[in-house]
Amino acid sequence: MKDMPSIASDPDAAAARAAWCQEVLNTAPDRFAAGRAIARRLGALVEGDRVEFGFWTPELLDWRIADGDVFLEILRPREELDLIASQADVTFDRALLPVARCEGFTFAAATGLISGDRDRIGDFYALTYRDHEGVYHRILDPLAASLPFGAFSPAEIYDVGAMQARRQDKGYFEQVKKDGPHKFAPPTSILQVHVPTATPGGTLASLTRQFERLAARVANGLVLEPDEELFAGYDAVQLLPVEPTTVYEAGPDFWTDTESDETSVTAHLMRPDTTNWGYDIVISGMATVNPVLLETARPDELVDLAAVLHNFPRWPKMLVLDVVFGHADNQGLGALNSHFFAGPNMYGQNLDYHNPFVRAILLEMQRRKVDFGADGVRVDGAQDFKWWDVSIQEMRHDDEYLQEMSDIVQNVAGVDYHPWFVFEDGRPWPQEDWELSSDYRAVIESQKETDPDVFQWGPLTFAHNTPFIYTFWLSKYWRLQEILKRGSNWISGTANHDTLRRGTQVNPKLNINTRLGDTKMEILDKAYDNPAVSILTYAALPGVPMDFLNATARASWGFIRNQDDKYGVKVVAEEAISLKWQVDEYSYSIPGAFRWLKELGFETREDLARFLEFLPALVEVTDYDLHTIATLLNAVEPPLSGPRPFTVGTLKQIARAWMDDMHEYCNVSHSTSKLDPAQTNAMRRLRMFRLNNPWLRQNFRDDDHFRYLEPIEGRTVFVALRNAPEGGEVFVVCHMEGGETEDIDPLDLLPDSVSRNDWHLTIRSPGIGPDYIGGPLVLRDSMGLVFTRGIDVTPLAGEPH
């Protein structure tokens, strides 16, 4: 490329950084304190016209690699590089620069480097060493700021300072600036979003445009369409993890060196195109954004989304990031040195939290990620943060680490702040009795002195709930009683990425509530987008409600991961039952739907369903022996549809096709034309009601009431009365499941001591006609009503109806 600056090593700067590192190691109170300081200088840091690099490299000590055999590798493309091209063969000029080492740390510095930003592509880099046979090996940067080709490839030098300087929401942060760090308070309600299925584009940029359009329409007082209402009325948006995930186990790699010498490297590059629900992370790269989610290959897209949410008219929206530091997929072993790991677990690998440098680097990854502009953090699987206590020969929960996560000070636009924190923690999970024994308060209790607003996922939000099975609500009544008394710091609601997925795994032969719909698809859709459940959650229960976009859009959802070569067929066998819940003959027959499976010979849903009747049984009886499974499938009479003959290879093809087709099928855009305007409008009005009555988050007072209607007589009807602190009341009636009631006046269900006068019907669920304003009616499954007295409901105009 023409007019590119010449790369020059800056050995003095590297030596100075190594000397500084030694001083820190010698004088810090302990190794963890030293690690926290040193971790701030790891990665590629742009300092004016110089870039400094830092790596934690204990493996170089393990392998006795000499200083003279370790280099900083800089790769500069000779021609213009297109990061969004599907694939290309690219030749890079290669510079190998000397390094300075300090115990387990390696530093380098150079001038003449190109730093990437929104408008240009930076040089790529890695650490490389020469082994005793003269072969070069790369050490990748786990703290990279930009990874256009994923966590298993050289990183891009990226000017994070320039990215922050251009952000458009500085005023949002500056308004809370004070002498000490600001603490963001909990939101009123949360929309949970899986970026790849939330919009047709499936990227952060596409999601940003969705909110830009919504903001423009709200600002101009325009009536919202049903698909726009899905995103409205919330004051927080939580993204499923946006970190780099696993890659294809059996290839292809997104970066493959094809030729190399000391001055050049030719590589075959592919734009990352994996599909994943977000939780199969490798830890490396956690400080940046999964390139699969980037339309422009620029991490600025996450900053742009934060800015649009923060600048939303009338009701600014918080950005909540979902971070996964409780485990690493086994692929992480190929991206990080072995010192990061403490041994295998059910997800892959435990992390060695008690290694002070691992602990410090993980916290630094979190700090850099949240500095993209998040004002909330959700910690996945907090019960999985454990360490082995030799003294008692048991695993112990690392609550000190969870506290350290909460204590991190972020800085955006020159403003120091602490994000709002919510933890998913169901300990003693995975013990068999966890659903009964977990109190969902371990982190709340351990951190309440330092943060009275720390949250956990509540008992109805955690993984296993099936609100479409009869007696679910009565069986959970004891949990509801807990929520009333102590739910102010719980996330509430029944629909999230875990619960909807678990719902698709339920045997349809169980005692299913058929009053929810005429088909399995209708039953599942309404179970997780249920008016009565939403009214109970938003107008009565304490805590912060959360909805999952795929549930409120009545779109499909499942376990999505197309990178798994070893267990992919087994995963599909476990997911096979979801076909019965989420895909009917018509949906399968739509042109373009399930195109990969159709190309493999499953031309109709019946073809696929028959194959999936055999596969799970054979996976179980053969103990997942793919060769035997293929042999037995070939012997079925009449012959099964699909790629014939079945082999281990074709079974893996089928597994990949299932994942790719289901991922496309789950996109919310496929469901928007079927949305019911009455449902989307009623649910948005309900969210606006919660926004205008934030006191509902608090626990029930002594003068509040909650009960179920007796005698039960084949139905579950909940009634709740809440008293506002400044005066006024909210009365809720929700028919949760079962047969219809007799003709009743809802206000007759008020406590005897409460007057029936002056109540106003504020919200009615779809199915109750707009002409109903009070008096006797018959309540049926999923109906609900909200009455108010002495509460101003006119602010519902905060977003147009």
Side-chain angles (χ1 to χ4, degrees), residues 58-74:
E59 66 268 45
L60 296 179
L61 299 178
D62 298 339
W63 302 332
R64 300 184 181 181
I65 304 299
D67 290 7
D69 288 323
V70 184
F71 308 91
L72 175 69
E73 178 185 33
I74 302 295

mmCIF file of all heavy atoms in Angstrom, residues 58-74:
data_model
loop_
_atom_site.group_PDB
_atom_site.id
_atom_site.type_symbol
_atom_site.label_atom_id
_atom_site.label_comp_id
_atom_site.label_asym_id
_atom_site.label_seq_id
_atom_site.Cartn_x
_atom_site.Cartn_y
_atom_site.Cartn_z
ATOM 1 N N PRO A 58 3.412 -16.674 30.740
ATOM 2 C CA PRO A 58 4.110 -17.632 31.609
ATOM 3 C C PRO A 58 4.557 -18.886 30.861
ATOM 4 O O PRO A 58 5.494 -19.567 31.301
ATOM 5 C CB PRO A 58 3.058 -17.958 32.675
ATOM 6 C CG PRO A 58 1.744 -17.686 32.001
ATOM 7 C CD PRO A 58 1.996 -16.519 31.110
ATOM 8 N N GLU A 59 3.909 -19.191 29.732
ATOM 9 C CA GLU A 59 4.304 -20.378 28.974
ATOM 10 C C GLU A 59 5.714 -20.249 28.415
ATOM 11 O O GLU A 59 6.413 -21.264 28.217
ATOM 12 C CB GLU A 59 3.295 -20.670 27.859
ATOM 13 C CG GLU A 59 3.217 -19.636 26.748
ATOM 14 C CD GLU A 59 2.184 -18.557 26.985
ATOM 15 O OE1 GLU A 59 2.126 -18.045 28.131
ATOM 16 O OE2 GLU A 59 1.442 -18.215 26.041
ATOM 17 N N LEU A 60 6.163 -19.024 28.151
ATOM 18 C CA LEU A 60 7.531 -18.844 27.659
ATOM 19 C C LEU A 60 8.549 -19.233 28.723
ATOM 20 O O LEU A 60 9.641 -19.727 28.402
ATOM 21 C CB LEU A 60 7.758 -17.397 27.215
ATOM 22 C CG LEU A 60 6.919 -16.919 26.022
ATOM 23 C CD1 LEU A 60 7.233 -15.468 25.703
ATOM 24 C CD2 LEU A 60 7.141 -17.802 24.803
ATOM 25 N N LEU A 61 8.177 -19.005 29.983
ATOM 26 C CA LEU A 61 9.040 -19.467 31.074
ATOM 27 C C LEU A 61 8.979 -20.987 31.192
ATOM 28 O O LEU A 61 10.004 -21.644 31.379
ATOM 29 C CB LEU A 61 8.614 -18.814 32.392
ATOM 30 C CG LEU A 61 8.682 -17.281 32.460
ATOM 31 C CD1 LEU A 61 8.188 -16.795 33.819
ATOM 32 C CD2 LEU A 61 10.090 -16.790 32.198
ATOM 33 N N ASP A 62 7.770 -21.525 31.091
ATOM 34 C CA ASP A 62 7.621 -22.980 31.185
ATOM 35 C C ASP A 62 8.482 -23.687 30.148
ATOM 36 O O ASP A 62 9.074 -24.737 30.415
ATOM 37 C CB ASP A 62 6.151 -23.388 30.980
ATOM 38 C CG ASP A 62 5.224 -22.814 32.037
ATOM 39 O OD1 ASP A 62 5.712 -22.445 33.121
ATOM 40 O OD2 ASP A 62 4.003 -22.743 31.766
ATOM 41 N N TRP A 63 8.496 -23.117 28.936
ATOM 42 C CA TRP A 63 9.166 -23.779 27.818
ATOM 43 C C TRP A 63 10.600 -23.297 27.616
ATOM 44 O O TRP A 63 11.267 -23.706 26.662
ATOM 45 C CB TRP A 63 8.365 -23.549 26.525
ATOM 46 C CG TRP A 63 6.956 -24.047 26.620
ATOM 47 C CD1 TRP A 63 6.482 -25.056 27.388
ATOM 48 C CD2 TRP A 63 5.821 -23.513 25.921
ATOM 49 N NE1 TRP A 63 5.123 -25.202 27.231
ATOM 50 C CE2 TRP A 63 4.683 -24.274 26.326
ATOM 51 C CE3 TRP A 63 5.642 -22.484 24.996
ATOM 52 C CZ2 TRP A 63 3.412 -24.029 25.837
ATOM 53 C CZ3 TRP A 63 4.384 -22.240 24.507
ATOM 54 C CH2 TRP A 63 3.277 -23.006 24.917
ATOM 55 N N ARG A 64 11.064 -22.416 28.504
ATOM 56 C CA ARG A 64 12.449 -21.928 28.483
ATOM 57 C C ARG A 64 12.812 -21.315 27.131
ATOM 58 O O ARG A 64 13.854 -21.623 26.550
ATOM 59 C CB ARG A 64 13.423 -23.048 28.844
ATOM 60 C CG ARG A 64 13.175 -23.619 30.231
ATOM 61 C CD ARG A 64 14.198 -24.658 30.606
ATOM 62 N NE ARG A 64 13.933 -25.209 31.937
ATOM 63 C CZ ARG A 64 14.689 -26.132 32.530
ATOM 64 N NH1 ARG A 64 15.759 -26.626 31.908
ATOM 65 N NH2 ARG A 64 14.382 -26.578 33.723
ATOM 66 N N ILE A 65 11.939 -20.459 26.669
ATOM 67 C CA ILE A 65 12.190 -19.757 25.412
ATOM 68 C C ILE A 65 13.058 -18.534 25.698
ATOM 69 O O ILE A 65 12.721 -17.706 26.548
ATOM 70 C CB ILE A 65 10.874 -19.323 24.748
ATOM 71 C CG1 ILE A 65 9.946 -20.536 24.539
ATOM 72 C CG2 ILE A 65 11.151 -18.621 23.422
ATOM 73 C CD1 ILE A 65 10.501 -21.611 23.639
ATOM 74 N N ALA A 66 14.154 -18.395 25.000
ATOM 75 C CA ALA A 66 15.087 -17.293 25.216
ATOM 76 C C ALA A 66 14.511 -15.984 24.706
ATOM 77 O O ALA A 66 13.708 -15.954 23.768
ATOM 78 C CB ALA A 66 16.416 -17.592 24.516
ATOM 79 N N ASP A 67 14.954 -14.877 25.304
ATOM 80 C CA ASP A 67 14.462 -13.560 24.903
ATOM 81 C C ASP A 67 14.670 -13.314 23.413
ATOM 82 O O ASP A 67 13.809 -12.722 22.743
ATOM 83 C CB ASP A 67 15.183 -12.465 25.688
ATOM 84 C CG ASP A 67 14.790 -12.445 27.155
ATOM 85 O OD1 ASP A 67 14.055 -13.361 27.582
ATOM 86 O OD2 ASP A 67 15.206 -11.517 27.878
ATOM 87 N N GLY A 68 15.804 -13.754 22.896
ATOM 88 C CA GLY A 68 16.106 -13.500 21.495
ATOM 89 C C GLY A 68 15.254 -14.280 20.524
ATOM 90 O O GLY A 68 15.315 -14.026 19.309
ATOM 91 N N ASP A 69 14.451 -15.216 21.033
ATOM 92 C CA ASP A 69 13.567 -16.001 20.181
ATOM 93 C C ASP A 69 12.108 -15.552 20.284
ATOM 94 O O ASP A 69 11.210 -16.241 19.784
ATOM 95 C CB ASP A 69 13.666 -17.491 20.540
ATOM 96 C CG ASP A 69 14.974 -18.114 20.096
ATOM 97 O OD1 ASP A 69 15.449 -17.740 19.016
ATOM 98 O OD2 ASP A 69 15.521 -18.955 20.834
ATOM 99 N N VAL A 70 11.870 -14.438 20.929
ATOM 100 C CA VAL A 70 10.512 -13.908 21.097
ATOM 101 C C VAL A 70 10.414 -12.571 20.368
ATOM 102 O O VAL A 70 11.300 -11.711 20.502
ATOM 103 C CB VAL A 70 10.153 -13.731 22.584
ATOM 104 C CG1 VAL A 70 8.705 -13.262 22.734
ATOM 105 C CG2 VAL A 70 10.366 -15.026 23.357
ATOM 106 N N PHE A 71 9.347 -12.381 19.598
ATOM 107 C CA PHE A 71 9.198 -11.186 18.782
ATOM 108 C C PHE A 71 7.750 -10.692 18.815
ATOM 109 O O PHE A 71 6.820 -11.482 18.989
ATOM 110 C CB PHE A 71 9.574 -11.460 17.317
ATOM 111 C CG PHE A 71 10.915 -12.102 17.133
ATOM 112 C CD1 PHE A 71 11.036 -13.491 17.098
ATOM 113 C CD2 PHE A 71 12.058 -11.326 17.002
ATOM 114 C CE1 PHE A 71 12.279 -14.093 16.938
ATOM 115 C CE2 PHE A 71 13.306 -11.920 16.829
ATOM 116 C CZ PHE A 71 13.422 -13.304 16.799
ATOM 117 N N LEU A 72 7.594 -9.404 18.619
ATOM 118 C CA LEU A 72 6.291 -8.853 18.292
ATOM 119 C C LEU A 72 6.133 -8.947 16.784
ATOM 120 O O LEU A 72 6.974 -8.437 16.032
ATOM 121 C CB LEU A 72 6.181 -7.397 18.737
ATOM 122 C CG LEU A 72 4.886 -6.689 18.320
ATOM 123 C CD1 LEU A 72 3.698 -7.246 19.074
ATOM 124 C CD2 LEU A 72 5.010 -5.176 18.529
ATOM 125 N N GLU A 73 5.075 -9.600 16.327
ATOM 126 C CA GLU A 73 4.826 -9.765 14.897
ATOM 127 C C GLU A 73 3.811 -8.720 14.452
ATOM 128 O O GLU A 73 2.691 -8.661 14.982
ATOM 129 C CB GLU A 73 4.288 -11.165 14.620
ATOM 130 C CG GLU A 73 3.961 -11.420 13.156
ATOM 131 C CD GLU A 73 3.307 -12.773 12.932
ATOM 132 O OE1 GLU A 73 2.553 -13.241 13.828
ATOM 133 O OE2 GLU A 73 3.540 -13.373 11.867
ATOM 134 N N ILE A 74 4.198 -7.887 13.477
ATOM 135 C CA ILE A 74 3.301 -6.902 12.883
ATOM 136 C C ILE A 74 3.015 -7.335 11.453
ATOM 137 O O ILE A 74 3.939 -7.635 10.685
ATOM 138 C CB ILE A 74 3.916 -5.492 12.885
ATOM 139 C CG1 ILE A 74 4.253 -5.061 14.319
ATOM 140 C CG2 ILE A 74 2.972 -4.495 12.219
ATOM 141 C CD1 ILE A 74 3.050 -4.893 15.223
#
